[in-house]
């Protein structure tokens, strides 16, 4: 077995020659890994952004899921970074930036003409989308009345029936304070004690605390609950199908979702190219028509039907009745509040 | 002899390497996280877990739930196995098949089925309202009750089959002899069959208990906020709060509990060969 036959030698030599011959063209055949939240949304992103991007640049895109801060931490700390771009929510960006898991973004590459608004350009993350956590409710359970505020959500006499909230302090503390009469512009810094006291009142009316976007929709449709906090994009398609559900933007939490590049990502140049492509107004308008989570892409709103634009969380009328979710406060306080939340909820 | 030795080693090497790489190494990683923070040894994670009211309550709840589910499974499974032992071999095969049928369906699907059955607008609540037993739907889903039902349904086949083998293992002639000597059927059961088969039933109970300790999907889908088990809490510490050291302490506590159960199992079984194999040795 130790003897190298002519055949083995031939194969080895061929492989060597092959790898040498192919090495120059290797650089063109780049595949970037873009991590997102998966599901139906991922298919839309593939169709509207990733496939045209590959056609335009020759750079292939492999989408992965889900969005996970622990995974990002594990990748960066082990030095084995799989993602080139990842979606991140607001306080993930703050935490990841503090921990040094994200690289600073070169906005000269993404926004050479400086057209993006400043709010979209965080040092280590680009705003990809905005969405709201709002009140969703059954239109057939309250005798024609519709809840108008978080105070109504807490009012189990006028609006009877079980409710659901997300199993997370984020947003819920704000909702409790709004229900308790705090003015939307006076929310932060949050009065945590007051919020938990108010949450005590609603606790026994919540049989289940949802953990993902599909679950709260299911709870509402199945009649398990009559009211729940919900992401704004999930309910409208069901309402259009004729299901007895609706949302109100009143008291909603306007949140931002970002794209960032992990430290040690292997294709940072291509990642920036992809992020630039995500800021294309035509593609973005097409995307928002299917998924109502608009970013701050300049020129996109003008491409939309005004009646449709009015249903988006960032439309002036809707933005006015919501509050801006403060990710920075949460990044500073999440650990302590989450620990208290777990004890409060699970004991 | 020498040749056989080297062959044994050769045959065992791939499996051992795989287990070492994918199981033993990560488990030691988890164990080391409980006492080592990456730079030095520390007792902080262990102290934090055992000072936290939440982890103590969830640990207790996990053991109580596991014990209750095991008891229900034994109380339901043993009579069922006794009934099956009395069937003709052909009918017994059919019964075994019927019991295994749900066992082969994914745990996830079986658990989702309970959501449909137990929901506020589910079949059970609709029936209860229709026959006038209750005016308003009862909260069945997202309660400890739903978690127990879901777990019992998943684990019952295992308990029935271990009980069945232990009952079949008892020499039928012994029961006949008892009857001939004047024992009533009840006496023959309680004085002969039951003592001889109870050890096998206990084996099934221990297996059931160990499996209960690690349940994750059922409490996630059917449970409310107060039916969370240790596996859910570990998941929470890994994915939500990023406290991997605390998750490691809890995982190690579960590992220790499982080993204790296995030790009990081994101590019980080493005395009797048929016990160790659930009667399969014959």
């Amino acid at each position: 077995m130790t003897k190298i036959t002519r055949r083995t030698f031939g194969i080895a030599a061929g492989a060597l020659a092959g790898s040498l011959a192919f090495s120059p063209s290797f650089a063109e055949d780049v595949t970037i890994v873009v991590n997102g939240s998966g599901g139906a949304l991922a298919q839309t992103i593939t169709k509207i952004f990733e496939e045209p991007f590959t056609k335009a640049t020759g750079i292939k895109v492999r989408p992965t899921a889900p969005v996970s801060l622990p995974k990002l931490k594990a990748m960066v700390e082990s030095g084995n970074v799989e993602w080139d771009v990842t979606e991140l929510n607001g306080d993930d960006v703050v935490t990841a930036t503090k921990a040094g898991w994200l690289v600073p973004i070169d906005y000269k590459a993404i926004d050479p003409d400086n057209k993006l608004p400043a709010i979209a350009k965080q040092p280590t993350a680009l705003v990809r989308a905005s969405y709201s956590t709002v009140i969703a409710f059954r239109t057939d359970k309250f005798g024609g009345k519709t809840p108008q505020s978080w105070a109504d959500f807490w009012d189990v006499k006028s609006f009877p029936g079980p409710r659901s909230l997300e199993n997370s302090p984020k947003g819920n503390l704000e909702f409790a304070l709004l229900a308790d009469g705090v003015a939307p512009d006076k929310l932060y810094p949050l009065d945590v004690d007051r919020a938990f006291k108010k949450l005590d009142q609603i606790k026994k009316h919540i049989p289940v605390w949802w953990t993902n976007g599909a679950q709260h929709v299911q709870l509402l449709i199945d009649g398990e609950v009559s009211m729940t906090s919900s992401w704004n994009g999930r309910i409208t398609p069901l309402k259009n199908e004729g299901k007895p559900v609706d949302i109100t933007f009143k008291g909603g939490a306007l949140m931002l979702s970002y794209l960032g590049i992990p430290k040690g990502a292997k294709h940072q140049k291509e990642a920036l190219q992809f992020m630039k492509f995500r800021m294309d107004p035509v593609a973005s308008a097409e995307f928002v028509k299917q998924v109502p989570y608009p970013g701050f892409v300049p020129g996109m709103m003008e491409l939309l039907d005004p009646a449709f634009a009015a249903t988006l969380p960032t439309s002036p009328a809707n933005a006015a009745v919501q509050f801006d979710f403060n990710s920075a406060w949460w990044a500073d306080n999440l650990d302590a509040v989450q620990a208290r939340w777990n004890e409060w909820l699970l004991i | 002899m020498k040749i056989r030795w080297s062959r044994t080693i050769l045959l065992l090497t791939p499996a051992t390497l795989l287990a070492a790489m994918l199981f033993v190494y990560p488990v030691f990683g988890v164990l080391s996280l409980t006492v080592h923070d990456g730079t030095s040894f520390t007792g902080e994670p262990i102290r934090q877990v055992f000072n936290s009211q939440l982890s103590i309550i969830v640990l207790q709840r996990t053991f109580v739930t596991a014990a209750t589910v095991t008891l229900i499974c034994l109380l339901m499974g043993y009579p069922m196995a006794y009934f099956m032992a009395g069937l003709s071999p052909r009918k017994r095969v059919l019964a075994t098949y019927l019991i295994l049928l749900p066992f082969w369906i994914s745990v996830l699907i079986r658990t989702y089925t309970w959501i449909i059955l137990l929901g506020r607008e589910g079949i059970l609540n609709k029936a209860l309202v229709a026959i006038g037993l209750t005016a308003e739907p009862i909260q069945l889903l997202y309660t400890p009750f739903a978690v127990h039902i879901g777990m019992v349904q998943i684990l019952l086949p295992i308990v029935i089959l271990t009980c069945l083998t232990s009952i079949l293992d008892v020499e039928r002639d012994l029961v006949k002899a008892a009857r001939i000597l004047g024992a009533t059927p009840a006496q023959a059961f309680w004085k002969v069959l039951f003592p001889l088969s109870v050890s096998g039933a206990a084996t099934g109970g221990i297996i059931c208990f160990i499996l209960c300790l690690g349940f994750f999907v059922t409490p996630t889908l059917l449970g409310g906020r107060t039916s969370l088990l240790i596996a859910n809490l570990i998941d929470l510490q890994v994915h939500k709060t990023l406290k991997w050291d605390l998750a490691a302490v809890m995982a190690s506590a579960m590992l220790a509990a499982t080993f204790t159960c296995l030790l009990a199992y081994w101590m019980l079984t080493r005395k009797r060969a048929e016990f160790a194999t659930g009667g399969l040795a014959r």
Side-chain angles (χ1 to χ4, degrees):
Chain A
M1 273 310 282
T2 48
K3 209 171 79 181
I4 297 174
T5 63
R6 254 166 67 172
R7 197 160 147 235
T8 357
F9 178 75
I11 289 168
L16 191 67
S19 66
L20 284 175
F22 280 113
S23 54
S25 67
F26 199 67
E28 288 165 24
D29 195 27
V30 170
T31 301
I32 58 169
V33 178
V34 177
N35 187 56
S37 38
L41 193 60
Q43 290 165 15
T44 313
I45 291 175
T46 301
K47 211 172 76 222
I48 290 175
F49 293 114
E50 291 167 356
E51 283 171 1
F53 174 71
T54 305
K55 211 173 265 173
T57 60
I59 300 166
K60 293 191 188 106
V61 178
R62 186 161 66 82
T64 57
V67 176
S68 158
L69 200 59
K71 258 194 174 169
L72 177 67
K73 174 186 175 180
M75 280 185 191
V76 175
E77 287 182 353
S78 71
N80 183 14
V81 181
E82 183 201 348
W83 302 335
D84 295 304
V85 180
T86 182
E87 279 179 22
L88 294 158
N89 70 35
D91 50 291
D92 283 353
V93 170
V94 180
T95 309
T97 306
K98 267 188 200 157
W101 301 331
L102 296 174
V103 297
I105 287 176
D106 177 12
Y107 282 103
K108 284 202 283 294
I110 294 179
D111 184 28
D113 307 328
N114 205 15
K115 284 199 295 196
L116 277 172
I119 185 175
K121 295 194 280 191
Q122 300 300 314
T124 54
L126 167 71
V127 172
R128 168 193 78 89
S130 65
Y131 61 100
S132 290
T133 305
V134 296
I135 301 174
F137 54 89
R138 288 280 290 246
T139 52
D140 56 346
K141 300 272 182 184
F142 308 126
K145 279 186 291 182
T146 55
Q148 297 292 317
S149 66
W150 288 103
D152 289 347
F153 190 93
W154 255 254
D155 181 359
V156 289
K157 285 213 180 69
S158 311
F159 299 94
R163 284 120 161 88
S164 186
L165 287 170
E166 187 180 2
N167 183 355
S168 164
K170 283 190 248 170
N172 285 337
L173 262 53
E174 285 91 331
F175 302 152
L177 291 171
L178 288 174
D180 209 25
V182 175
D185 56 337
K186 299 279 191 305
L187 278 173
Y188 299 99
L190 298 179
D191 184 342
V192 178
D193 290 332
R194 183 173 170 184
F196 272 103
K197 226 170 148 187
K198 188 71 183 171
L199 281 163
D200 281 337
Q201 297 172 10
I202 200 75
K203 197 177 184 182
K204 61 174 176 293
H205 301 285
I206 300 187
V208 54
W209 298 74
W210 58 268
T211 50
N212 63 62
Q215 194 188 0
H216 68 247
V217 177
Q218 198 62 47
L219 290 168
L220 205 60
I221 294 294
D222 286 351
E224 283 304 321
V225 299
S226 335
M227 234 195 282
T228 178
S229 59
S230 164
W231 295 331
N232 70 287
R234 301 270 176 162
I235 302 296
T236 317
L238 296 165
K239 185 187 166 191
N240 295 341
E241 276 175 28
K243 298 262 169 37
V245 290
D246 205 352
I247 58 169
T248 173
F249 275 102
K250 287 175 187 161
L254 190 57
M255 300 171 165
L256 300 176
S257 169
Y258 298 80
L259 291 175
I261 302 176
K263 192 178 177 182
K266 293 177 189 79
H267 307 103
Q268 300 191 5
K269 196 174 81 161
E270 290 80 2
L272 284 170
Q273 272 179 273
F274 180 69
M275 284 159 83
K276 179 166 191 276
F277 196 84
R278 292 284 293 259
M279 296 295 115
D280 176 61
V282 179
S284 296
E286 202 49 50
F287 176 77
V288 169
K289 279 180 204 163
Q290 300 189 29
V291 187
Y293 299 143
F296 295 110
V297 177
M300 180 196 72
M301 282 295 195
E302 288 75 5
L303 297 171
L304 297 170
D305 173 27
F308 172 73
T311 67
L312 294 174
T314 48
S315 86
N318 291 338
V321 295
Q322 300 175 74
F323 66 91
D324 289 326
F325 182 79
N326 187 336
S327 296
W329 187 89
W330 277 105
D332 287 340
N333 296 282
L334 185 61
D335 272 1
V337 177
Q338 180 78 51
R340 180 165 173 184
W341 173 266
N342 291 344
E343 301 259 335
W344 175 81
L345 188 71
L346 303 173
I347 287 179
Chain B
M1 242 357 235
K2 212 178 169 192
I3 295 164
R4 267 186 71 181
W5 248 111
S6 59
R7 192 189 280 173
T8 310
I9 290 172
L10 200 69
L11 285 171
L12 282 176
T13 304
T16 314
L17 276 181
L18 202 69
M21 232 162 55
L22 301 179
F23 182 70
V24 179
Y25 175 69
V27 163
F28 272 98
V30 168
L31 287 176
S32 75
L33 262 181
T34 63
V35 290
H36 200 270
D37 64 4
T39 46
S40 62
F41 283 96
T42 166
E44 191 56 24
I46 295 177
R47 201 188 56 78
Q48 273 189 37
V49 166
F50 287 93
N51 276 347
S52 141
Q53 207 193 345
L54 176 64
S55 18
I56 297 300
I57 284 181
V58 173
L59 268 170
Q60 277 173 354
R61 184 189 296 152
T62 306
F63 282 101
V64 170
T65 305
T68 324
V69 168
T70 306
L71 193 69
I72 298 172
C73 280
L74 284 172
L75 288 178
M76 289 172 77
Y78 189 87
M80 180 67 203
Y82 180 71
F83 167 76
M84 282 169 71
L87 294 173
S88 71
R90 247 180 91 175
K91 281 187 182 158
R92 197 186 303 136
V93 168
L94 183 72
T96 311
Y97 184 74
L98 288 177
I99 282 167
L100 283 175
L101 206 59
F103 191 65
W104 288 324
I105 299 170
S106 148
V107 171
L108 210 56
I109 294 171
R110 280 189 281 164
T111 309
Y112 268 111
T113 316
W114 285 112
I115 297 184
I116 297 167
L117 293 174
L118 298 176
R120 286 182 75 84
E121 293 177 2
I123 297 168
L124 200 58
N125 261 318
K126 279 205 170 132
L128 286 176
V129 173
I131 57 174
L133 272 178
T134 145
E136 279 282 299
I138 317 171
Q139 190 69 48
L140 298 167
L141 197 55
Y142 311 121
T143 59
F145 166 75
V147 176
H148 279 79
I149 284 199
M151 287 172 76
V152 166
Q153 194 223 8
I154 288 161
L155 293 166
L156 195 54
I158 299 171
V159 175
I160 292 178
L161 294 180
T162 37
C163 286
L164 178 65
T165 38
S166 72
I167 293 172
L168 288 177
D169 206 37
V170 175
E171 203 64 65
R172 286 277 122 170
D173 291 345
L174 291 174
V175 181
K176 273 187 202 152
R179 294 281 284 129
I180 288 165
L181 292 171
T184 63
Q187 280 173 329
F189 172 77
W190 286 113
K191 295 212 159 144
V192 180
L193 186 66
F194 184 72
L196 285 171
S197 61
V198 73
S199 53
T203 320
I206 292 178
I207 294 172
C208 178
F209 186 81
I210 292 175
L211 289 173
C212 279
L213 293 180
F215 256 62
F216 175 75
V217 172
T218 310
T220 306
L221 293 177
L222 301 180
R225 58 181 184 86
T226 53
S227 22
L228 184 104
L229 300 184
I230 194 73
N232 305 92
L233 194 57
I234 292 173
D235 174 66
L236 184 84
Q237 300 287 23
V238 171
H239 285 117
K240 269 259 171 80
T241 57
L242 308 191
K243 301 268 167 59
W244 292 1
D245 47 351
L246 302 189
V249 173
M250 290 177 213
S252 305
M254 288 326 284
L255 197 64
T258 307
F259 273 117
T260 313
C261 292
L262 284 174
L263 188 71
Y265 177 85
W266 177 74
M267 301 246 278
L268 276 168
T269 54
R270 74 189 166 134
K271 287 183 197 150
R272 300 167 62 167
E274 86 271 20
F275 189 23
T277 56
L280 293 175
R282 287 221 294 181

